Amino acid sequence: MSEDQPPPEDVPLATSLARLEQRLTRLETFLALPPLEQAAPPPAALAAAPAAPAPEAEEEELEYVVGQNWFAGVGIVVLTCGVGFALSLPLSSLPPLGPALIGYLLTGGLFLAAHIWRHSFELVARCFRGAAMALLYFSTLRLFFFGAVPVLSIDSGLSRTVLLAAVALNLVVALRQSSGALVVLALLTGYVTAVVPNSPGWLFAGVTLLSGLIAAAASRRSAPALLLAIPFSYLAHLLWMIGNPWAGRPLLVVSTPAGSVYFLLLYAVIIGVGPLLRRNRSSEDQLTILTAIFNCGAGYGLFLLHSLLRFPQDLVPANLVATLVFLGLAMAFWRREESRVSTFFYAMTGYLALSVAILKAFAAPDVFMWLSLQSLLVVATALWFRSRFIVVANFLIFVTVVLGYMITTDREAGVSLGFGVVALLTARILNWKSERLELRTGLMRNAYLACAFVVFPYALYHLVPRVYVSVSWIGVAVVYYLMNLVVRNVKYRWMGHLTLLLTVLYVVVVGVTQLAPTYRIISFLVLGTVLLAVSLVFTKARGGWRGGSRAVPAEKSP
């Protein structure tokens, strides 16, 4: 069979490839092509790359992790809980100091075992160290509680130093080991020490000190230890606030001292400033955002709850102070790193506190007017914060206030006119400093102008006699036209057009059927005259522009 003939189908693949190689060699020789370089050998790293572990090896590794790591940790936790439950028994057959001494002996044994096995059994040693810290603190608590006869009185300041010594020892051990889990355990014992004496001064001083320690520690490390201060600090205050309901104490909300709610604001400041003190950080990160969200939710939520339940008479000044605190935090975050999310949450919490103060200070319907004026403050601060989120949230709140007034108020008292003025002023502010808010589309300005367009006819419909409604609406349209001449903004001209069309609709539908003949004639004559006058003005202006007698007036961008 000739070499150029195609191979039969039963020719082996190796033979076909050899023939193909021969043909390519002949072509290269005929075209005088240089020979191909030899392929480089595979890199040693790739040649020596380990093969993917087999499923059996992965299963064996998982079994190793569960059997050695998880079982060791869970087993030591279970044993520690068992010893703790034993120490919590009255054990009247032993001397009052006996259970605590037994606990201290076990603690020393655990610390010794952890030290001996720190290299050979590192995981077990860490677990022993944590169990020793827990037993050390629980054995110290046994001196005050659980026994038939307490060894020490929790009401004595000198006796409480024993608890402080146990907490300090735990903190030293945790910091020397550089273990986040041990730090959490040591801090937990500190917060328990602040709560168990059931003393307001002791609690406030302890929580403030511990929150400051966590904020200082977080400023030196990247660990998310700062988040621990939020649940621990506020949970400790909550337990005190409801009367520490254990050992037979009733569940109640404490009413003394009156200034206790302000310590919640102090905790919020300490926790809030913590992220700003962190080193090697120039922008907002996830820890900062989570701290702001939890701090606002837990801090102000507990502050508001305690104030409403026990100090309603101080609700206004307390919330005004809260407004300053949270807006101050928002300004600090903006000045420090131009934060977006944290600034938003702190600022909105401050606005919420101000709203609560207004709701408490004023009765309806005046409260709606003050709430609408608050939106001007919100927009002014949003300009400084460059926050579109605040502007959008403020608009939604403003619309809610307007709808709430319309729904709940039976008789119009002129507050709606204030709503319209606030909407127009807000739109002008947004137009004036739109570049600071990055509002390029004008959507929010149009939304506020739409509110003004609806609110003014609504207010005049309820304020003026029915026979003068159409005339008052015509006056609003004239005001829009005058504003267009002042600010050179086509949107006000369109608002005037739409208001006139709304007046036409009102006169046709209501004027014909409900007004007396005299007032019906007056309404038609006034409306027709204004419509013709507006038409003549625009006709003349349009003709002048086309004829070139004057230049088209420059209008500002919306």
Side-chain angles (χ1 to χ4, degrees), residues 187-527:
L187 290 172
L188 181 59
T189 60
Y191 280 100
V192 173
T193 302
V195 172
V196 290
N198 198 28
S199 171
W202 182 266
L203 173 83
F204 301 151
V207 174
T208 302
L209 177 61
L210 290 169
S211 300
L213 288 176
I214 293 178
S219 67
R220 298 177 179 272
R221 301 183 181 184
S222 300
L226 185 64
L227 291 177
L228 301 176
I230 299 173
F232 285 173
S233 298
Y234 294 129
L235 180 60
H237 192 99
L238 175 63
L239 290 174
W240 169 82
M241 188 184 80
I242 60 178
N244 289 332
W246 60 74
R249 293 193 183 102
L251 179 63
L252 52 87
V253 180
V254 297
S255 57
T256 55
S260 59
V261 294
Y262 294 101
F263 281 94
L264 289 167
L265 300 180
L266 178 60
Y267 308 153
V269 171
I270 296 173
I271 297 170
V273 171
L276 297 178
L277 302 178
R278 294 174 59 203
R279 299 176 179 178
N280 301 325
R281 174 179 162 275
S282 58
S283 60
E284 191 172 39
D285 56 6
Q286 187 176 10
L287 173 62
T288 305
I289 295 174
L290 291 176
T291 302
I293 295 174
F294 290 144
N295 198 25
C296 293
Y300 182 72
L302 192 57
F303 169 86
L304 182 60
L305 178 64
H306 199 185
S307 301
L308 286 174
L309 293 178
R310 278 294 178 263
F311 309 109
Q313 70 280 0
D314 298 328
L315 198 62
V316 174
N319 276 276
L320 290 178
V321 174
T323 300
L324 296 178
V325 166
F326 287 102
L327 286 181
L329 287 172
M331 294 177 182
F333 272 88
W334 180 253
R335 291 291 300 271
R336 172 69 171 79
E337 56 190 22
E338 293 190 356
S339 164
R340 297 286 185 179
V341 181
S342 299
T343 300
F344 170 78
F345 279 103
Y346 282 120
M348 293 306 297
T349 305
Y351 302 144
L352 176 60
L354 180 58
S355 299
V356 173
I358 292 174
L359 289 171
K360 178 64 177 178
F362 301 96
D366 295 338
V367 66
F368 292 100
M369 189 64 230
W370 284 102
L371 290 174
S372 66
L373 290 175
Q374 180 190 351
S375 68
L376 291 176
L377 173 64
V378 175
V379 171
T381 53
L383 289 173
W384 191 59
F385 294 144
R386 297 178 179 267
S387 176
R388 292 174 292 174
F389 304 109
I390 296 178
V391 173
V392 174
N394 179 68
F395 172 74
L396 297 177
I397 296 173
F398 177 77
V399 171
T400 303
V401 170
V402 174
L403 293 177
Y405 173 79
M406 293 180 177
I407 294 173
T408 59
T409 304
D410 297 331
R411 184 174 178 273
E412 174 63 48
V415 177
S416 295
L417 293 176
F419 292 155
V421 173
V422 169
L424 290 178
L425 290 176
T426 305
R428 290 308 306 159
I429 293 174
L430 294 178
N431 183 79
W432 176 41
K433 291 293 184 180
S434 60
E435 71 282 355
R436 292 188 61 89
L437 296 172
E438 300 178 359
L439 292 173
R440 303 303 182 189
T441 62
L443 178 62
M444 297 309 304
R445 284 168 282 163
N446 293 339
Y448 276 104
L449 291 177
C451 288
F453 172 75
V454 173
V455 165
F456 279 123
Y458 170 84
L460 293 174
Y461 179 82
H462 289 86
L463 286 174
V464 303
R466 189 63 54 86
V467 295
Y468 299 121
V469 169
S470 59
V471 178
S472 65
W473 289 5
I474 293 172
V476 172
V478 172
V479 171
Y480 288 147
Y481 289 134
L482 294 177
M483 291 181 65
N484 169 69
L485 295 177
V486 174
V487 301
R488 299 292 185 181
N489 195 317
V490 68
K491 293 180 180 179
Y492 293 104
R493 210 160 59 221
W494 274 106
M495 291 177 67
H497 299 340
L498 295 175
T499 303
L500 285 181
L501 293 177
L502 182 64
T503 307
V504 171
L505 182 64
Y506 175 81
V507 170
V508 172
V509 176
V510 178
V512 174
T513 58
Q514 298 183 10
L515 296 182
T518 302
Y519 294 110
R520 185 190 311 156
I521 294 172
I522 294 175
S523 299
F524 273 85
L525 291 177
V526 172
L527 178 60

Side-chain angles (χ1 to χ4, degrees), residues 123-147:
L123 175 64
V124 177
R126 289 201 303 266
C127 295
F128 275 1
R129 197 173 290 111
M133 292 171 58
L135 282 180
L136 170 66
Y137 186 74
F138 197 82
S139 300
T140 307
L141 279 182
R142 187 63 170 77
L143 299 173
F144 301 91
F145 304 101
F146 311 117

